[in-house]
Amino acid sequence: MRILGIDPGVATVGFGVIDSEGGRQRMVQYGAITTPAGMPLAARLVQIGGDLEQLIRQFQPDEMSIEELFFSKNITTGIAVAHGRGVLLYTAEKLHLPVYEYTPMQIKQAVVGYGLAEKRQVMDMTRRLLKLKAVPRPADALAIAICHARSATSLLRRKDPDVKETV
């Protein structure tokens, strides 16, 4: 399965593409969609949507995973990020790409095994799991993709008619 992980934003949208098979993940590509600071918000959103569409067409992912928004202190920044996230969700839906959303705690739990892990621990485990020589920058989107790869193989999520649910 090919997974496109997305770390939403407006100035910078992180992306990471991995292939996941048999419980192992391999990094395909990672990077960021960036928009200039002086550009009007509406123009930035158009650019983000167009660039994501290009990424989806280029890498042909089977599914997309994206981080849910977490507002801590700066609500103004959170609103702008919410606009960007909306465009990302819209673009995926427009291209019929299934989207799965994860909280920061779920991502940390899936990658490190501890939902309150520190950022450096997540980055180091991302490097280790993908067998990379150095921590990729930005790496959050790859962690989000790994989270989905690990969640997607769970028996609880499998849509296999032969798997019986137990209570």
Side-chain angles (χ1 to χ4, degrees):
M1 169 179 14
R2 180 159 284 183
I3 302 165
L4 171 61
I6 296 289
D7 183 21
V10 172
T12 304
V13 176
F15 73 88
V17 181
I18 66 169
D19 285 336
S20 180
E21 189 174 324
R24 296 178 189 253
Q25 292 83 43
R26 181 182 66 83
M27 193 271 298
V28 175
Q29 185 64 270
Y30 67 93
I33 296 169
T34 58
T35 62
M39 184 183 272
L41 178 61
R44 291 173 113 176
L45 297 176
V46 169
Q47 181 182 331
I48 289 167
D51 288 356
L52 180 63
E53 195 166 326
Q54 258 185 324
L55 284 172
I56 292 169
R57 293 189 193 289
Q58 179 180 352
F59 292 105
Q60 297 290 304
D62 299 300
E63 297 175 343
M64 183 173 103
S65 57
I66 188 168
E67 186 173 17
E68 287 186 2
L69 287 186
F70 174 75
F71 293 103
S72 57
K73 295 178 182 145
N74 191 342
I75 191 79
T76 306
T77 302
I79 291 170
V81 173
H83 288 310
R85 191 170 179 281
V87 168
L88 296 163
L89 295 173
Y90 166 82
T91 302
E93 182 66 25
K94 178 176 134 185
L95 297 177
H96 310 289
L97 182 62
V99 176
Y100 298 85
E101 302 177 52
Y102 299 95
T103 65
M105 189 174 278
Q106 287 173 312
I107 296 163
K108 291 173 183 181
Q109 179 69 41
V111 175
V112 179
Y114 177 57
L116 298 176
E118 295 177 21
K119 185 169 182 84
R120 65 176 178 75
Q121 293 172 300
V122 176
M123 299 302 96
D124 186 55
M125 279 305 294
T126 298
R127 178 191 64 78
R128 290 174 184 219
L129 290 169
L130 296 175
K131 297 178 176 53
L132 304 174
K133 291 179 181 170
V135 173
R137 304 276 185 219
D140 291 350
L142 287 170
I144 295 163
I146 291 169
C147 172
H148 181 62
R150 291 181 154 202
S151 298
T153 58
S154 166
L155 286 176
L156 297 175
R157 297 234 11 239
R158 194 180 297 172
K159 302 229 189 293
D160 184 342
D162 296 326
V163 175
K164 304 289 186 248
E165 290 185 341
T166 59
V167 180

